[in-house]
Amino acid sequence: EAAVTQSPRNKVTVTGGNVTLSCRQTNSHNYMYWYRQDTGHGLRLIHYSYGAGNLQIGDVPDGYKATRTTQEDFFLLLELASPSQTSLYFCASSDDGQGNTGQLYFGEGSKLTVL
Amino acid sequence: QQQVRQSPQSLTVWEGETAILNCSYEDSTFDYFPWYHQFPGESPALLIAIRPVSNKKEDGRFTIFFNKREKKFSLHIADSQPGDSATYFCAASAYNYAQGLTFGLGTRVSVFP
């Protein structure tokens, strides 16, 4: 079964703070994604990656950077956090092999509060 | 602009009834339509999915009905159980689904005994 782990699970920072959310998947999936979940907005795609060193812009990228250092590791960076970035962040991965269903496997989520 | 529209926002049914959740989409390149469910405090998980080659997909008590002409699809939960209480998200992606899924805003389903 797919395993996607995120850290930290909870983070509180102040406006202007620097935050890094980490995600590791151990299923040899090439595709990884960062979503944010907010009441009234559902799940929105921030950034995604096709593989190590690759980065693609999602639907709500403003204020976020991302880096994919290896096939397993995908990081989301908030260099100047703002209260509007208070949210629940999910990392996800999906496979790309034969018979690919496009199924997303989500991590446990990282709750970020920006004061 | 919401590319995948979902309704209702919330739904309450009694145990044993059929819950019906609706979604519509605009992008004609979308050809993969999954439903995810999310229980409180947990992450979303795939429930059932359909491709336009068929207009119906069943998995136990869960059925997707798909109407390509009208760009609509729905999830029917038959014989609803209290354990089905969760938030359900419809989603869609193009054949190159590596670009990720576009989700609807979710339907909060409550099933009362």
Side-chain angles (χ1 to χ4, degrees), chain A residues 25 29-35 45-58 66-75 91-96 104, chain B residues 97-100:
Chain A
Q25 56 94 7
H29 288 172
N30 279 343
Y31 302 131
M32 295 186 74
Y33 309 85
W34 277 106
Y35 283 88
L45 182 63
I46 305 170
H47 289 297
Y48 61 104
S49 169
Y50 294 153
N54 176 268
L55 290 172
Q56 303 293 326
I57 295 173
T67 179
R68 181 87 178 269
T69 55
T70 65
Q71 184 183 44
E72 294 79 18
D73 299 303
F74 194 29
F75 301 92
C91 176
S93 71
S94 69
D95 65 44
D96 61 347
L104 293 181
Chain B
Y97 33 61
Q99 296 180 21

Side-chain angles (χ1 to χ4, degrees), chain A residues 31 33 35 37 40-43 45 48 50 90 100-104 106-107, chain B residues 32 36 38 42-44 46 51 89 96-105:
Chain A
Y31 302 131
Y33 309 85
Y35 283 88
Q37 183 175 27
H41 292 279
L43 289 150
L45 182 63
Y48 61 104
Y50 294 153
F90 283 104
N100 182 4
T101 65
Q103 178 177 351
L104 293 181
F106 285 89
Chain B
Y32 173 68
Y36 281 71
Q38 183 179 28
E42 298 185 9
S43 49
L46 179 66
R51 295 192 183 278
F89 294 96
N96 180 16
Y97 33 61
Q99 296 180 21
L101 293 170
T102 298
F103 286 89
L105 298 186

Side-chain angles (χ1 to χ4, degrees), chain B residues 28-80:
Chain B
S28 298
T29 65
F30 286 158
D31 72 345
Y32 173 68
F33 304 92
W35 284 88
Y36 281 71
H37 59 176
Q38 183 179 28
F39 296 98
E42 298 185 9
S43 49
L46 179 66
L47 177 62
I48 186 172
I50 193 169
R51 295 192 183 278
V53 293
S54 60
N55 56 19
K56 182 180 178 181
K57 176 76 175 291
E58 289 182 90
D59 185 357
R61 297 184 293 107
F62 301 92
T63 302
I64 299 177
F65 292 93
F66 182 79
N67 186 321
K68 185 174 183 178
R69 182 178 61 83
E70 295 186 7
K71 295 183 180 177
K72 293 181 179 179
F73 58 109
S74 61
L75 175 69
H76 291 221
I77 307 174
D79 188 25
S80 296

